[in-house]
Amino acid sequence: MHEFKTGREFVGRLPHGADLLEAITAQCRARDIRMARISAIGALTQARVGYYEQDAKKYQELDFPGHCEILALIGNVSVRDGAPAVHAHVTLADDAGKAFGGHLVAGCRIFACELVITELTGDPLARGFDETTGLPLWSED
Ligand code: ZN
């Protein structure tokens, strides 16, 4: 585990029609946020999430073409290939209140979204390829 201090905090609305992952990433890169925790709520006009197949070591992408609520988006920002990278998971709900979700990937179209970014100051964690899982993870130390 690594110790960080809370830095700047940003709260705001993301643009209607934008891609959710791209919009969060753009907000972080515009402010040179290299380490943060993030959370958001809102709604999407369409959703796509990832599910990691642990045996095959690859992501399967699931499409949800209907409108849905973002019940909770939670995630972090750290450095990957020298640039701030967002890793987030979303819990979504359909028009019957049924929840589903997964790893946030490109393909979620914003209807409305309120984002909170809490910057963490200190040496940012960097992601590197992890042989065991096949994922770009932080080191274990
Ligand atoms: Zn994930």
Side-chain angles (χ1 to χ4, degrees):
M1 297 293 286
H2 303 258
E3 184 174 353
F4 293 92
K5 300 241 183 293
T6 301
R8 300 171 294 170
E9 191 144 41
F10 298 94
V11 180
R13 178 186 152 189
L14 296 177
H16 176 85
D19 182 272
L20 181 56
L21 178 58
E22 288 175 10
I24 296 171
T25 303
Q27 291 293 330
C28 293
R29 291 185 177 177
R31 291 163 181 78
D32 197 30
I33 294 168
R34 302 178 70 76
M35 196 77 203
R37 59 173 183 254
I38 56 174
S39 63
I41 55 173
L44 302 173
T45 56
Q46 63 182 61
R48 177 180 297 155
V49 297
Y51 174 82
Y52 194 66
E53 295 180 11
Q54 296 175 17
D55 292 331
K57 294 185 179 175
K58 63 173 191 180
Y59 278 100
Q60 170 191 346
E61 293 196 347
L62 308 169
D63 277 302
F64 299 96
H67 297 175
C68 58
E69 296 285 320
I70 305 169
L71 302 183
L73 177 152
I74 188 163
N76 58 63
V77 178
S78 59
V79 173
R80 183 175 177 186
D81 299 326
V86 171
H87 180 203
H89 288 187
V90 286
T91 304
L92 306 169
D94 65 14
D95 60 359
K98 189 173 176 211
F100 55 95
H103 174 93
L104 182 64
V105 297
C108 290
R109 196 63 49 196
I110 296 170
F111 181 74
C113 185
E114 297 172 351
L115 174 68
V116 176
I117 302 171
T118 305
E119 182 181 42
L120 301 172
T121 60
D123 280 345
L125 299 182
R127 294 188 177 278
F129 181 75
D130 177 69
E131 291 274 349
T132 306
T133 62
L135 290 166
L137 299 180
W138 298 328
S139 64
E140 276 184 13
D141 61 343

